[in-house]
Amino acid sequence: MTKRFKCLILSALILSGVSVKTIAATYEGNVVTKEGAWCWFADPRALHYENVSGTINSTYIGYIDVHGNIKATQHNFLTGKNNEVLIRSYFQPDDHDNPTFLVLPDERIMIFYSRHTDEACFYYRVSQKPGDITTLGAEVRLATAQNTTYPSPFILSDDPTHIYLCWRGINWHPTIAQMSIPDAQDKANFTWGPYQMVQSTGARPYCKYTSNGKDKIYLTYTTGHPDNEYPNYVYYNYVDVNGLQLKDIKGTVLSTIANGAHNVNKTTYQSNYPYAVVDAPTDQRDWVWQTAIDKDGNPVIAMVQISNDKGTHNYYYAKWTGSAWRKTFLANGGGKFHQTAGLELCYSGGMAIDDANPNVVYCSVPVTGTSGSVYEIIKYTLDSNGTVTSTEQITTNSKLNNSRPYVITNSGNSPLRLAWMHGNYYDWIVSVTRPQGYPTGINSDW
């Protein structure tokens, strides 16, 4: 946000969802697209790439509209041009199908997407020119044995000739596979796996991934969906790609992935694997929003605790101190953020960690402004002790909700860093029952 807009904002401290005093000015961000939405379990849903030679400096923001069109906006900072790219038309009209991005070793951009659990395959397209998704090649279908949702791809420097793709797949559980890098004809194949990483007593663990870019993929996941699990726990493991093993935060081997899934439960697991559990509430339904790594290599987690009746959502920041997980309360996020009564009561407004500065978290919080109670984006800054030192209201007096914030991966010093959904939301899928679906747009801070 520019100083001109910042000077219009007058924020009171928000630590419990209380009303915020604001002046009459409205700031809802800048429109990336008027039609677009995303879920929060497929990443990176937006990505910045700037190469050392200075020939590429672009941001890619992906989304899906209510017509089922998968799209992305590319902003080229070298030319100043914006291009909206149609990745796939008339796909499943479901916000779980938003695309994710990966920069290949030759600087081509690879885009993954899939339907929501009802087709055993991924799709991908690869730019034909480095850094330029306006030159996408043909769609390629990558078959799997079981359902696919939420693709999260990684390339690690210890194994630069492979892609590691994580998703919700086998038995609706966290799944991983190793892939070849696409060749000159954009063809790639599975070279190891797919393998189910964990087996929970819950039907659908929800998992967020990140990596150190070198040799580890970190995963934070729940026992299951908070609608179905009470209480619902949060777990933390990582994949060591050199040994292809699953480990806890202390480096203890939990499993060799190819030999079978690591079993997780809410009864004996915490005593057997104390360094694999982040949070084990007795009376809350936990859910996860993001995992990031700080400058010292310690993980931080954005998570929400939801009351048993699902009416109260509290945002927390969990950080590994080197010996234990320390949780900091950030804000009361109200209840469900959307407009449909009785539906998806665990859908919070959302949270996002700044990957370049992991002591900064953005939350979507209900704030009373000139249009009544509307979800606004609030920035929370914490110190090394886990204490909130400042808050800043990013959007103000919005007419419609601002939700599911996302700090654009690797955006670093780019002026375009934060994006979010803006508008009404009725359901995650367009259907006869709720034909409005998710008529939001995507806004940004630049």
Side-chain angles (χ1 to χ4, degrees), residues 1-292:
M1 184 190 301
T2 64
K3 290 182 179 178
R4 181 170 67 87
F5 281 112
K6 285 183 178 178
C7 73
L8 298 176
I9 298 172
L10 178 64
S11 300
L13 184 66
I14 302 177
L15 293 177
S16 58
V18 297
S19 298
V20 173
K21 295 179 181 179
T22 58
I23 58 178
T26 294
Y27 178 72
E28 299 176 316
N30 304 283
V31 176
V32 175
T33 179
K34 293 182 179 180
E35 292 188 349
W38 51 43
C39 191
W40 72 99
F41 283 103
D43 287 323
R45 72 200 88 152
L47 176 70
H48 181 79
Y49 181 63
E50 185 173 351
N51 64 5
V52 175
S53 65
T55 59
I56 301 171
N57 185 354
S58 293
T59 295
Y60 319 96
I61 302 174
Y63 41 88
I64 183 169
D65 67 22
V66 290
H67 311 291
N69 297 314
I70 298 176
K71 298 178 178 179
T73 289
Q74 172 179 288
H75 181 77
N76 186 329
F77 285 94
L78 299 180
T79 65
K81 290 183 178 180
N82 274 322
N83 291 100
E84 186 174 64
V85 177
L86 179 62
I87 300 168
R88 170 69 184 266
S89 62
Y90 296 103
F91 205 57
Q92 181 186 38
D94 185 320
D95 72 10
H96 295 65
D97 301 351
N98 66 269
T100 60
F101 302 90
L102 181 68
V103 181
L104 298 177
D106 61 5
E107 299 188 312
R108 292 181 296 164
I109 308 299
M110 189 173 187
I111 303 177
F112 290 88
Y113 49 101
S114 72
R115 290 173 63 91
H116 182 193
T117 72
D118 66 355
E119 188 176 19
C121 72
F122 285 106
Y123 297 95
Y124 68 81
R125 296 181 70 182
V126 182
S127 69
Q128 302 305 286
K129 293 182 180 180
D132 186 3
I133 65 170
T134 69
T135 66
L136 289 178
E139 180 180 83
V140 180
R141 186 179 189 272
L142 182 67
T144 61
Q146 295 193 5
N147 68 75
T148 60
T149 310
Y150 311 133
S152 293
F154 302 93
I155 295 178
L156 305 171
S157 61
D158 275 15
D159 186 10
T161 61
H162 291 105
I163 297 167
Y164 287 87
L165 184 62
C166 301
W167 72 93
R168 186 178 75 183
I170 301 171
N171 297 321
W172 295 66
H173 278 60
T175 297
I176 189 170
Q178 182 194 75
M179 294 175 58
S180 59
I181 301 290
D183 61 19
Q185 288 72 46
D186 297 346
K187 300 299 183 183
N189 299 296
F190 290 126
T191 53
W192 173 81
Y195 294 111
Q196 181 180 339
M197 288 187 280
V198 299
Q199 174 61 55
S200 174
T201 51
R204 291 179 293 161
Y206 279 76
C207 191
K208 293 290 295 186
Y209 302 93
T210 192
S211 84
N212 63 356
K214 182 182 185 296
D215 61 350
K216 296 180 178 65
I217 298 171
Y218 306 92
L219 54 154
T220 302
Y221 56 97
T222 60
T223 308
H225 194 298
D227 268 346
N228 312 122
E229 292 291 328
Y230 177 75
N232 202 27
Y233 288 8
V234 174
Y235 311 87
Y236 177 87
N237 308 152
Y238 71 85
V239 177
D240 180 344
V241 300
N242 289 311
L244 298 175
Q245 293 176 316
L246 193 69
K247 298 182 178 181
D248 69 16
I249 200 165
K250 290 285 192 176
T252 303
V253 175
L254 301 174
S255 71
T256 297
I257 293 171
N259 292 345
H262 174 59
N263 291 309
V264 175
N265 63 63
K266 292 186 296 187
T267 53
T268 60
Y269 189 82
Q270 189 176 14
S271 58
N272 292 339
Y273 303 100
Y275 293 109
V277 179
V278 176
D279 194 45
T282 59
D283 61 348
Q284 299 291 317
R285 302 173 184 267
D286 285 358
W287 220 354
V288 294
W289 276 84
Q290 190 173 345
T291 301

